[in-house]
Amino acid sequence: MRNHLLIGAAVAALAFPAAARAQSTGSVDFDDQEIVITGTSVSSGVAGIIVPDTSKAKAELSAEAIQQSVPGQSINEVINRLPGVSFQNNDAFGSAGGTMTIRGFSSDRISQTVDGIPLNDSGNYALYFSQQMDIELIERVSVNLGTTDVDSPTAAATGSTVNYRTRVPSEEFGVKLVGSAGEYGFFRVFGMVDSGNLTSSGLRAFISASNLTSTTTFYREGKIDRQQYNARLYQPLGDNGDFISLAGTYDVNRKNFFGSVALREDAGRVTPNRFPQTKEERFYSIAPCLVAVGRPGLADSANSCGSEFDRRINPSNTGNIRGASRFTLADNIVLSVDPSFQVVKANGGGTATAREGTFNAGGTPIVGYIGGSPYFGRDLNGDGDVLDQVRVLAPSQTQTQRIGVISSLRWELDESNTVRLAYSYDRARHRQTGETNMLQANGATADPFPINDPLVDRNGRALQKRDRLSFAILHQIAGEYRGEFGDLTVNVGVRMPFMRRNLTNYCATSSASGFVECFNGDSAAQAAWLAANPTQTVAGVTFATQAPQQRIFNYKKALPNIGLVYDLTSNISAFGNFSQGLQAPGTDNLYNSFYFPTNAEQANPRPEKTDNFDLGLRYRSSTVHAQVVGWYTNYTDRLASAYDPELDRTVYRNLGTVKKYGVDANISWQPISALSVYAFGSLMESEIQDNVLLATRTNGNQIFAMTAGKREAGAPTYTLGAGFNADVGPVTFGANVKRTGSRYVFDDNTPITVGTVSPLGVDTRTQIYPAKTPAYTLVDLHARVKLNWAGLGDETYFQFNLMNAFDQVYVGGFSGNLSSTGFDTRTTGSTPQFITSSSAPFVQIGYPRTFMGSLVVGF
């Protein structure tokens, strides 16, 4: 029972405060009180899989389970063995990104943190799975399946959270070296040194570095090169669990895109123009090419060399510094403060066709980035004229500086009642630009960051495809109470985020999808273009074209988090939780709204909101951890993106109310010390309540996506998995199996078709792919051969991993789209308009069977 204190457990909780379960130090400290009560023999889990005894639906993996994975693997692939989680890795090594949902929430709606600091992009809330911390340094990862912690500093999470924590430096000197090699050119080295105690007070540190290289699996000419550096300094303060810590991570990633193909299976097309129909068809090459050479006095055209998706370089430099501290102010009062600083420099590659000439704005020749093309007004290719079109490197560049702090004050009123207050601050300066640079003769990039040395126009100004400055600012206060009343434990919390988005667009906005015309400080060119385009008209409403401007958006809402845990026996407890989530609109959506005057409804996007309910039962003993949870989410103002044929752009659409519900279950069992098994499963349903307006015809008729009663796209209908680990003398081995259910491609649940329907009802549409991607099963195997028999110690061994052992061909990650239909506006006046099908969306090819081996040396 909860009131039976275990002295050994209390000592362990005080001695090892960092081995707790939640994200920030304050949440760790608050949950540590529960560890003292429940006891470590149960709380430590079974075979590295942990079911915490909280009011939230939560699952965790310890270092024991994490280290079975491929060295260098993304932590998001590791948690794919937990219920509710669906992750599609772009390669087997964790270095190329991926796609994730939890209970159907896409990754930009999931808060992911390391040591409490947010990792989601501060602008669009995206997660970058190839930039996560080396898993050798992660001591525990925790997944809240449907809610956040009350001090979570997030503007993104409408539901789930993923939190992982950095290991504490060892008190003993130690070295760990890992060398890994495998198929597709995979080679990785990792090294870590623990200093041991440097002073009598226990000051200690570790430093680590890693380097990973490989080809891009399917596109063999592509390369991936990733380096990461980590360090942590840890100082205990006395023997009561207080400490101060400083940690840092710096990641340098250079990779080609690859494996993105159209989701179509019609005959006569081959990859990368359709989804592979055989194992062999997954692999492809792109013929060498030369960029077009300028010819004096001739109007040369740009060719496509360098524009191929697979030639694009996706570079990123990301770093953070993370502070953490815990101070006992009195016997029953504890303060924690976690400051942080983050930097990002990244882009997604891409090219554009530049014009050496000028743009005609109502009879005035101007230069700028206009209509999707840069006009330089000068010779670019060195042929002595200004007549040419030239392909240039033109990625969307992002640079971010972000500071934050999470603070918490816990007050233990007595043995049964505890309260805490928390304050979180997060401020991100988000600079988004789009400089250009020349390609090399073979279409490659000399420097993947054009911002380092951008091309300039005839006036000496660097032309940019976008030019905007954003400040995402969060102030959040929170309070939490826990009361223990015999077998009943009550948690009541509330967080109140105050979110401000201070946005400046230095370009004129020319479409509801955020399409812009940029003049880079040339006021005369800007004035000429605005004079030639004074108004915009949408669905019969005319308004002024929106010039460069600043807009400020504010969002706030009190978000309760209420939970109960009732001990039915010493091993069985029932629990329930209610929470609300909120996601402020991302910067892309907000900048899109700049198209409309500030008094228009479309100029004020509403935040997404969720009501989340969990009700479950769990069993915990020293040999079994099991949990089953029923859940329900009511989703309002659910955003989706779709093509708007009236504007010829992709814009955000509000799906309105979406109801989601399902069941998550998992069990881990260790019948004997040498064998552990686990299984998990999830079922998920969602129902969109209304049809969504796609566009309005010029005659006033409206086109709707028939989404009412349909389920959301992109998330699997179910997941099932199981695995085991066995220890037989010097060899340990195991397997993980997971089946992922079908996923709808569109929110209106229709097949992918090409063709039209005329106003007279003549239907020429042809199906090129079904409405759903098929279910698939992946089997992963792992084994270790210990070398302690050779006198090398328990920390030295060979490890082997085989991913997708049966070489399943499957559809990897994709984002669900709104609708497969639209209408053709290329016909005007009295000429009929046509219902059309959209082009096939692009998806990732699931990674093939991949083998790799590692030598791990520790001493």
Side-chain angles (χ1 to χ4, degrees):
M1 296 294 183
R2 289 176 180 271
N3 291 332
H4 297 168
L5 300 180
L6 300 177
I7 296 177
V11 172
L14 293 175
F16 303 105
R21 295 191 301 268
Q23 52 172 0
S24 67
T25 303
S27 291
V28 169
D29 174 71
F30 196 75
D31 282 358
D32 266 346
Q33 309 310 304
E34 186 178 349
I35 292 176
V36 172
I37 295 167
T38 58
T40 57
S41 63
V42 174
S43 299
S44 57
V46 174
I49 302 174
I50 306 159
V51 175
D53 196 21
T54 73
S55 63
K56 301 171 184 176
K58 181 183 289 190
E60 299 181 354
L61 297 173
S62 70
E64 177 185 358
I66 295 170
Q67 300 310 317
Q68 297 168 358
S69 301
V70 174
Q73 184 63 271
S74 170
I75 189 63
N76 300 89
E77 171 67 22
V78 178
I79 64 172
N80 206 23
R81 67 187 75 172
L82 296 178
V85 180
S86 179
F87 183 68
Q88 286 79 40
N89 217 354
N90 289 351
D91 72 359
F93 313 119
S95 56
T99 306
M100 182 174 72
T101 63
I102 299 179
R103 287 187 175 176
F105 290 107
S106 57
S107 60
D108 57 349
R109 294 172 170 87
I110 298 167
S111 173
Q112 184 153 315
T113 65
V114 54
D115 298 334
I117 76 166
L119 297 176
N120 298 74
D121 186 283
S122 60
N124 62 12
Y125 310 134
L127 284 172
Y128 302 106
F129 304 109
S130 62
Q131 300 169 17
Q132 303 303 310
M133 180 185 290
D134 287 333
I135 62 171
E136 290 90 347
L137 307 175
I138 299 175
E139 68 174 9
R140 187 167 296 199
V141 57
S142 170
V143 180
N144 287 345
L145 298 177
T147 187
T148 65
D149 292 317
V150 296
D151 64 351
S152 297
T154 175
T158 43
S160 308
T161 62
V162 177
N163 316 306
Y164 61 87
R165 296 191 62 81
T166 311
R167 65 181 292 271
V168 174
S170 172
E171 295 188 59
E172 303 292 332
F173 175 82
V175 175
K176 184 174 185 177
L177 301 173
V178 182
S180 305
E183 296 180 271
Y184 310 112
F186 172 67
F187 184 75
R188 179 179 182 267
V189 292
F190 169 88
M192 177 176 65
V193 177
D194 273 293
S195 69
N197 286 337
L198 298 172
T199 66
S200 59
S201 62
L203 176 66
R204 54 193 187 269
F206 75 73
I207 58 172
S208 72
S210 67
N211 185 80
L212 182 154
T213 58
S214 71
T215 64
T216 52
T217 306
F218 304 117
Y219 169 52
R220 298 297 181 85
E221 291 80 11
K223 302 294 181 184
I224 295 175
D225 192 335
R226 180 188 179 197
Q227 303 172 48
Q228 188 175 115
Y229 307 90
N230 285 275
R232 187 175 188 184
L233 184 68
Y234 184 86
Q235 173 65 68
L237 303 175
D239 57 1
N240 63 352
D242 289 353
F243 70 95
I244 55 174
S245 171
L246 185 66
T249 299
Y250 189 67
D251 187 278
V252 179
N253 203 325
R254 302 289 184 270
K255 63 178 183 290
N256 287 95
F257 288 108
F258 71 99
S260 181
V261 298
L263 189 58
R264 57 189 307 157
E265 55 187 11
D266 46 328
R269 290 179 175 265
V270 296
T271 188
N273 296 317
R274 72 167 182 179
F275 192 80
Q277 304 300 293
T278 66
K279 296 177 181 179
E280 293 74 21
E281 199 175 294
R282 293 174 296 183
F283 303 95
Y284 58 91
S285 294
I286 298 176
C289 66
L290 292 174
V291 299
V293 178
R295 298 167 297 173
L298 297 176
D300 299 307
S301 297
N303 61 16
S304 62
C305 184
S307 66
E308 300 91 343
F309 182 76
D310 303 78
R311 292 194 201 274
R312 290 170 57 177
I313 303 295
N314 179 208
S316 64
N317 297 346
T318 57
N320 60 64
I321 299 174
R322 313 180 299 279
S325 61
R326 180 185 188 272
F327 305 99
T328 300
L329 306 182
D331 288 343
N332 60 341
I333 300 176
V334 173
L335 171 70
S336 64
V337 181
D338 297 352
S340 62
F341 175 70
Q342 301 182 68
V343 293
V344 175
K345 180 179 181 180
N347 69 60
T351 65
T353 301
R355 271 71 171 177
E356 292 184 334
T358 58
F359 181 86
N360 183 357
T364 302
I366 62 174
V367 294
Y369 213 117
I370 308 165
S373 298
Y375 290 79
F376 284 88
R378 70 175 184 89
D379 184 18
L380 293 175
N381 57 13
D383 66 356
D385 61 43
V386 290
L387 305 173
D388 308 326
Q389 298 182 18
V390 180
R391 186 161 300 281
V392 295
L393 178 65
S396 297
Q397 179 71 43
T398 297
Q399 292 182 288
T400 302
Q401 294 86 40
R402 188 173 189 176
I403 59 174
V405 65
I406 307 171
S407 59
S408 175
L409 184 69
R410 174 179 61 82
W411 181 18
E412 189 175 353
L413 304 177
D414 54 41
E415 290 184 355
S416 301
N417 297 277
T418 304
V419 298
R420 73 162 170 148
L421 298 175
Y423 169 74
S424 299
Y425 174 70
D426 185 25
R427 179 186 183 276
R429 182 185 187 275
H430 201 64
R431 187 75 170 99
Q432 295 174 296
T433 58
E435 295 83 357
T436 63
N437 212 330
M438 299 297 291
L439 297 171
Q440 298 185 75
N442 64 354
T445 60
D447 185 340
F449 290 116
I451 194 173
N452 293 340
D453 185 22
L455 291 177
V456 297
D457 63 18
R458 65 183 180 184
N459 301 314
R461 296 184 174 95
L463 290 191
Q464 302 180 70
K465 66 192 295 185
R466 62 177 185 175
D467 188 4
R468 57 200 202 188
L469 174 64
S470 314
F471 291 91
I473 302 169
L474 169 71
H475 294 274
Q476 179 175 273
I477 55 175
E480 186 173 13
Y481 163 79
R482 182 173 65 237
E484 297 159 23
F485 308 96
D487 293 329
L488 176 66
T489 299
V490 178
N491 286 83
V492 179
V494 63
R495 65 184 181 101
M496 183 73 180
F498 298 86
M499 294 172 284
R500 168 168 289 205
R501 298 294 180 263
N502 185 341
L503 311 179
T504 301
N505 194 344
Y506 297 103
C507 303
T509 308
S510 58
S511 87
S513 65
F515 205 83
V516 292
E517 318 301 329
C518 298
F519 306 98
N520 311 107
D522 188 338
S523 57
Q526 177 180 302
W529 186 87
L530 288 171
N533 301 271
T535 62
Q536 304 287 318
T537 301
V538 176
V541 178
T542 299
F543 48 86
T545 299
Q546 299 299 298
Q549 60 187 279
Q550 178 189 45
R551 295 187 184 182
I552 296 176
F553 302 84
N554 290 289
Y555 302 95
K556 63 180 179 181
K557 182 175 173 56
L559 303 171
N561 198 320
I562 302 169
L564 305 171
V565 181
Y566 186 76
D567 287 336
L568 302 173
T569 71
S570 59
N571 298 113
I572 302 173
S573 61
F575 64 95
N577 194 85
F578 165 72
S579 68
Q580 289 187 329
L582 179 74
Q583 182 184 77
T587 50
D588 287 339
N589 191 17
L590 293 173
Y591 278 116
N592 291 359
S593 72
F594 275 41
Y595 179 65
F596 301 96
T598 55
N599 60 352
E601 180 184 357
Q602 300 96 321
N604 298 279
R606 295 190 296 269
E608 296 183 347
K609 299 179 287 293
T610 55
D611 298 313
N612 305 301
F613 299 86
D614 285 321
L615 185 63
L617 194 67
R618 65 171 61 98
Y619 178 88
R620 306 193 325 152
S621 72
S622 59
T623 58
V624 176
H625 269 215
Q627 178 174 263
V628 60
V629 186
W631 60 271
Y632 172 81
T633 293
N634 186 59
Y635 212 145
T636 57
D637 291 317
R638 163 76 160 86
L639 289 179
S641 60
Y643 178 74
D644 186 332
E646 187 73 30
L647 299 171
D648 192 27
R649 296 288 181 270
T650 298
V651 297
Y652 288 87
R653 301 289 185 185
N654 194 322
L655 284 182
T657 301
V658 179
K659 299 184 183 300
K660 300 154 66 84
Y661 52 94
V663 177
D664 299 320
N666 64 294
I667 182 171
S668 55
W669 177 41
Q670 190 165 15
I672 58 175
S673 60
L675 177 66
S676 62
V677 296
Y678 73 91
F680 64 90
S682 296
L683 298 174
M684 191 199 79
E685 294 289 339
S686 67
E687 184 178 317
I688 303 168
Q689 300 301 294
D690 303 301
N691 294 325
V692 177
L693 179 66
L694 282 175
T696 302
R697 290 180 184 265
T698 54
N699 63 6
N701 291 340
Q702 293 179 321
I703 302 296
F704 285 89
M706 306 307 291
T707 52
K710 307 299 177 60
R711 65 179 296 143
E712 296 170 290
T717 53
Y718 68 89
T719 58
L720 297 171
F724 76 93
N725 290 287
D727 190 339
V728 183
V731 177
T732 62
F733 60 95
N736 303 308
V737 181
K738 182 167 185 178
R739 182 165 180 81
T740 299
S742 59
R743 293 163 286 165
Y744 278 104
V745 180
F746 294 112
D747 287 319
D748 61 6
N749 299 174
T750 55
I752 304 174
T753 59
V754 293
T756 63
V757 181
S758 76
L760 299 178
V762 178
D763 191 344
T764 64
R765 290 178 296 176
T766 302
Q767 179 175 312
I768 61 173
Y769 199 87
K772 297 186 289 186
T773 62
Y776 65 92
T777 302
L778 296 183
V779 178
D780 301 330
L781 308 176
H782 59 269
R784 285 185 183 179
V785 179
K786 304 172 188 176
L787 299 179
N788 51 5
W789 53 269
L792 296 177
D794 293 336
E795 300 302 316
T796 299
Y797 52 85
F798 284 109
Q799 178 168 309
F800 304 97
N801 294 88
L802 182 62
M803 307 290 285
N804 190 6
F806 295 98
D807 206 14
Q808 171 96 63
V809 178
Y810 65 99
V811 177
F814 65 91
S815 299
N817 295 300
L818 175 58
S819 176
S820 62
T821 61
F823 73 95
D824 193 344
T825 57
R826 289 173 295 179
T827 54
T828 58
S830 60
T831 306
Q833 295 171 320
F834 293 86
I835 300 287
T836 65
S837 58
S838 67
S839 59
F842 280 75
V843 300
Q844 287 292 134
I845 307 171
Y847 65 79
R849 178 170 53 219
T850 307
F851 176 78
M852 69 284 297
S854 304
L855 173 62
V856 180
V857 178
F859 56 88

